[in-house]
Amino acid sequence: MRLTEVELRRLSLPLVRPFRTSFGTEVKRDVLLIRVVNDRGAQGWGECVADSAPLYSSEHVSGAHMLIRQFLLPRLAAVPELTAHQVAPTLAAIKGHTMAKAAAEMAVLDAELRELGVSLGRHLGAVRDAVSVGVSVGIADTLPELVEEVEGYVEAGYRRVKLKIEPGWDIAPLAAVRSKFPDMALQVDANRAYTLADAAHLAKLDAFDLLLIEQPLPEDDLRGHAELAQRLTTPICLDESIVSARSAADAIALGACSIVNIKPGRVGGYLEARRIHDVCAAHGVPVWCGGMLETGFGRAANTALAALPNFTLPGDISGSDRYWHRDLVTTPALAHDGYMTVPVGPGLGVEPDVPWLEELTVSTETISF
Ligand SMILES: O=C(O)CCC(=O)N[C@@H](C(=O)O)c1ccccc1
């Protein structure tokens, strides 16, 4: 395809409740959507998962917005017959900015697949019609509030809960939740809040029969994670450390992880996400789909990705209602009994809720080529 028009739209979405992690608290999402139109009139949607501040990674949404406009779009528009598989090679000269690149690739891939009449799940190699999903629970102000929030999700049918932890909020919340739900699938996410000096303390988490402990140490400390893996029985899962298929192979070879959280935005897109899935499968390392508080566009695409065979652990693809009063798509993804149905329509398989999109829009710009 040849790109003829690209719209960059910024929206402000209030969260149904504040979401606190070890690196900050979000009360609303500053969302960047990219919509591409090709020379045959087909359009595709991409969602940039970068936060409003560079706290999860070095990217932030305004930086991604500028980078897409100034550096990515001119390169993509110059390709006369662009395919989604050519996006990453075309943008390879631009260093980093995986979330910006992922949004651009997602929009081109959506347009391509809508034209072909092929769903994203089928294109990626989905083997399931529905995927097991869990819910991510932020750091709460008090233990009773945490337990009450978890109870709500268990009643809603979720069968896997992920608790955010940090130094000073780890053992007690786990004890409170585990005593209330002795048999529930439970895991924790530290978002890099600990160091190897905390190994003896982190070993206490082994008492809670967790599925995994996610990213306890800084993203560049593979050696530390490998050392920690020798001292814990709980499997180590990496998130922020895994930025490509090559980094996944390195982490596995070094013994830094035995499970991988795959987030398409973090790794540059759904095609690299599939490569990571394949590398992990080749090493017998299970994967699951992480979340970045996506809207219905990203949640639909993540559900398709999570239908690949080596996604054997529940992903952070909770229903849209976990985060949004009303979603940006007309068919918001809702979990039923802990499962999410894989979209079957062409491309992402979801359509924009245009009136609501317009109401939440802060700014929009259209670039023609
Ligand atoms: O369900 C979701 O979409 C969020 C899952 C989740 O906890 N994401 C965390 C993470 O570190 O994995 C996150 C939160 C905020 C911003 C970035 C990432």
Side-chain angles (χ1 to χ4, degrees):
M1 73 180 77
R2 184 173 61 80
L3 297 184
T4 56
E5 188 179 283
V6 175
E7 178 189 60
L8 298 176
R9 182 182 292 261
R10 296 286 289 273
L11 307 98
S12 180
L13 279 67
L15 288 161
V16 294
R17 64 162 54 90
F19 188 74
R20 186 177 151 199
T21 68
S22 65
F23 57 85
T25 299
E26 301 215 47
V27 293
K28 68 174 181 63
R29 288 285 283 169
D30 179 349
V31 175
L32 169 62
L33 291 182
I34 174 172
R35 181 175 61 85
V36 302
V37 184
N38 72 17
D39 50 338
R40 294 180 289 272
Q43 66 175 3
W45 292 87
E47 177 174 352
C48 182
V49 299
D51 283 332
S52 49
L55 301 174
Y56 168 80
S57 75
S58 59
E59 294 189 76
H60 62 102
V61 64
S62 294
H65 186 161
M66 181 281 290
L67 188 102
I68 289 170
R69 182 199 312 114
Q70 191 168 346
F71 296 102
L72 305 191
L73 293 185
R75 281 170 171 78
L76 295 176
V79 179
E81 264 309 312
L82 181 68
T83 67
H85 288 258
Q86 287 174 321
V87 170
T90 300
L91 301 178
I94 304 294
K95 301 297 176 270
H97 300 284
T98 54
M99 294 177 178
K101 290 176 178 177
E105 182 189 87
M106 181 179 174
V108 173
L109 183 55
D110 185 31
E112 186 174 309
L113 294 177
R114 284 179 194 265
E115 268 196 313
L116 291 171
V118 173
S119 70
L120 179 60
R122 189 169 144 221
H123 178 76
L124 292 176
V127 295
R128 301 183 190 94
D129 298 331
V131 297
S132 172
V133 295
V135 63
S136 177
V137 180
I139 294 167
D141 292 334
T142 67
L143 291 177
E145 284 172 297
L146 174 77
V147 172
E148 185 182 355
E149 185 177 352
V150 171
E151 276 177 327
Y153 296 133
V154 171
E155 283 161 16
Y158 291 104
R159 288 181 280 192
R160 187 276 270 152
V161 165
K162 162 169 132 176
L163 299 183
K164 291 292 184 177
I165 61 170
E166 64 183 10
W169 181 268
D170 46 29
I171 303 295
L174 272 169
V177 171
R178 183 48 93 200
S179 66
K180 185 87 178 178
F181 304 102
D183 304 319
M184 181 172 65
L186 192 56
Q187 65 192 59
V188 295
D189 184 1
N191 288 113
R192 302 161 289 184
Y194 298 85
T195 71
L196 195 54
D198 298 312
H201 177 75
L202 291 170
K204 295 175 186 168
L205 302 186
D206 288 339
F208 296 104
D209 188 26
L210 300 177
L211 284 175
L212 56 93
I213 176 172
E214 186 181 351
Q215 200 71 45
L217 308 181
E219 67 275 15
D220 58 351
D221 191 1
L222 292 184
R223 186 193 58 79
H225 281 103
E227 170 69 26
L228 193 62
Q230 298 301 311
R231 299 176 58 179
L232 269 63
T233 58
T234 304
I236 302 283
C237 172
L238 293 180
D239 169 355
E240 289 91 334
S241 296
I242 308 299
V243 294
S244 65
R246 180 177 290 117
S247 72
D250 290 347
I252 293 166
L254 291 168
C257 65
S258 52
I259 300 172
V260 170
N261 163 336
I262 297 181
K263 292 178 179 176
R266 184 190 75 223
V267 302
Y270 286 86
L271 301 181
E272 186 69 7
R274 182 172 59 178
R275 292 184 198 104
I276 294 171
H277 162 274
D278 295 347
V279 164
C280 291
H283 289 81
V285 169
V287 302
W288 55 284
C289 187
M292 293 292 287
L293 309 178
E294 289 94 343
T295 73
F297 292 101
R299 305 193 93 78
N302 289 348
T303 306
L305 177 70
L308 268 62
N310 190 39
F311 281 86
T312 52
L313 291 166
D316 279 348
I317 320 177
S318 48
S320 168
D321 53 351
R322 158 76 178 87
Y323 294 108
W324 315 119
H325 298 289
R326 178 176 165 184
D327 206 325
L328 295 183
V329 298
T330 55
T331 52
L334 296 174
H336 297 289
D337 195 25
Y339 282 83
M340 194 79 85
T341 303
V342 178
V344 294
L348 302 179
V350 290
E351 298 302 327
D353 179 341
V354 176
W356 187 234
L357 217 67
E358 294 296 346
E359 184 162 336
L360 294 177
T361 293
V362 172
S363 71
T364 180
E365 60 178 311
T366 300
I367 304 115
S368 299
F369 299 100

